[in-house]
Amino acid sequence: MAEPNAPLEGSPKDVHGWIKEAVQESDAFLREQPGYGKIEPTMKAIYGQAQELRSSDLSSTKSNRLAKVATDMASHLTDIKPFWEFRTFNKSYERSAEIYGKLSQQWYQQRMADMEMNQAVKYYLMAGASFTSLGWDSETQDLSMTAEDPRDVLPIRPSNYMSIQSGIGVIMRRERSVNYLKARYPREKWGLIKADRDGSKRADKGDSRFTKILEGLGVPSDSMFQRALFGRPMRETPKLPMADVNEVYLKDDTRNDTSHPILMGQWEDGKAQNNWSYMVLPGQKLYPRGRHIVTTTHGTLHDGPNPYWHGMFPCPKLNLDPWPQSWFGKAPLWDLLPLQKSLANALRGVDDHIAKLVEPDVVADKNSVPRSVLERWNTRKAGGKYQHNPIAGKGIELVYPHPILRDLQWWIEYLNSEMDTLSGNRDLAQLMHLNQVPGADTIEKITESMTASVQARSRALEAYMREFATMLAYNFAQFYNVGRRITILGAGGVVEDDFDFDPGSIVPAFIHQEDFADGRPTPTAIARGPRPRYDRAREFMRQFTFHIAPGSLLAASEIQRKLLYLQLSRAGLI
């Protein structure tokens, strides 16, 4: 990828080719990150899909402690207190700040954003980092939030490892059905929408032991060899045709080098068809808020300006355990994989020992006991009656196993405890399951052990929420008109700015400093009229800050604070 800016649509250079190179470069960047190879094994371990070739005569007992730890941690880390509080130092906008807080709380609960947040935290537990895309859904006519697989969110040349905003762009790889894409894009683009695979094969994929052996030898389930072996046709009509889609957001410094204005976005008869289309004068940037491109394997479906007023990449990064020189950081479950394997081996050892105890080995003289009798003999079955000829040889002898080591029980308990300790789940559980008022010594131990882990994760979550809340506030200003606000909040959703020179918008008609003199809009500003909403929105949003008290976002942090207050009150200090 030679140039930082993607070529313009219609230029000699191919936009689709530029995106293809960017995908390869960014994907290689992710694969080189520490821990990338542990993401897939961790997912399979949680789902219990780890492929192990074992004899059918041996125990296959499993105790998926890893999945239990992951579920508990996801529950604790998404137990978030009501946190939507926007603040402003401008008295004129205090009502708007209050409206932003109420709209955020209503949207978060009604649009099931808390469930997507839970999915994002689970991606973090498995991969060390996760992303949530926040945008406008034209089908539901509301804001939407979706947790993204961190392996499919490709940063383009990031300058640091902390934020997705540090790069020149981001690519979100998605898989969509062909019919879904054809419903969203015009007919002239349908030639670029073709199936890359059959989505229904995931359900039909063989899960037999022989299939796993073939896959372990490098023979994929959809290979020609397996098709011929199992009698499947060489060519099948896709039951659920799926296509790969790349949604790209870029920072692009390309300017209008012509001598005439250029209309960006969607226009008809000289009128903008949405609130993110704009006019670019000669010498100005074509993409002041960034560029938005959508491609498939076969071509470009869309190329235009970023539709969001905030101008950021709409997929904030969630990383609760960041580490230097690592894009993913460190996932809490990575250190548990060998412990989970040891736990399974220990349990299978106990299971195999019990099996030998209830069905012990048999030693019989071949001259005394016929082979046919020996093969039919089941030592586990009660009430068996057998006879042999002692003159012909030695009789039947049952060989029981040696007693199992007592240390094995300690080892299993240690593995379970160590998994809770390493993940931090033990500390969270201590705070969340207090059944009685603890003593002073217990409070001191809990607060000392919890300060580092809970506070660190809470602060990392707060950093993510600040970026997320900023995007959310911009989107409310862009997509929620006065009618929608009244529907949600009643009369409390209306502000004076809804009745100014640009009615129906929470963004004031005049907000830039140069448009005012003595606290009132200047005659020049009034004669010119309000600036474009997206320009005023950026100035308007500078008036607000999203507030979270440090270390207070997780409910576990609040319990810790209550214990501290209880201890101080017992000491007579408060």
Side-chain angles (χ1 to χ4, degrees), residues 255-297:
R255 294 182 178 273
N256 178 9
D257 55 3
T258 68
S259 59
H260 56 81
I262 297 179
L263 301 180
M264 302 296 293
Q266 299 177 359
W267 294 75
E268 186 175 339
D269 298 330
K271 294 183 179 180
Q273 299 302 299
N274 46 56
N275 59 19
W276 48 265
S277 298
Y278 54 92
M279 178 186 296
V280 180
L281 299 177
Q284 293 182 345
K285 289 185 177 182
L286 289 177
Y287 306 100
R289 299 191 306 271
R291 188 173 175 182
H292 180 221
I293 305 173
V294 181
T295 67
T296 65
T297 307

Side-chain angles (χ1 to χ4, degrees), residues 25-53:
E25 177 183 331
S26 300
D27 187 68
F29 168 78
L30 290 187
R31 292 180 181 275
E32 293 174 356
Q33 297 302 307
Y36 183 91
K38 297 180 181 180
I39 299 177
E40 186 69 20
T42 303
M43 289 184 174
K44 288 185 176 181
I46 289 178
Y47 296 139
Q49 295 177 343
Q51 297 182 0
E52 298 182 27
L53 301 180

Side-chain angles (χ1 to χ4, degrees), residues 182-203:
K182 288 184 176 180
R184 292 183 65 90
Y185 292 94
R187 184 176 293 271
E188 55 266 24
K189 295 289 185 179
W190 286 9
L192 305 176
I193 304 174
K194 300 178 182 179
D196 293 311
R197 68 186 58 83
D198 187 357
S200 64
K201 289 181 181 178
R202 294 172 180 170

Side-chain angles (χ1 to χ4, degrees), residues 454-484:
V454 173
Q455 295 292 336
R457 284 174 176 165
S458 182
R459 288 170 182 164
L461 187 58
E462 291 157 17
Y464 159 83
M465 289 307 306
R466 283 192 292 268
E467 185 175 333
F468 180 88
T470 299
M471 296 183 189
L472 191 62
Y474 265 101
N475 289 343
F476 285 139
Q478 181 176 359
F479 297 107
Y480 276 37
N481 56 25
V482 62
R484 181 183 286 266

Side-chain angles (χ1 to χ4, degrees), residues 89 98-99 153 169 171 179 295 331 435 482 515 554-555:
F89 294 102
E98 182 182 352
I99 289 176
V153 179
I171 304 170
N179 291 335
T295 67
N435 296 323
V482 62
D515 290 341
L554 292 176

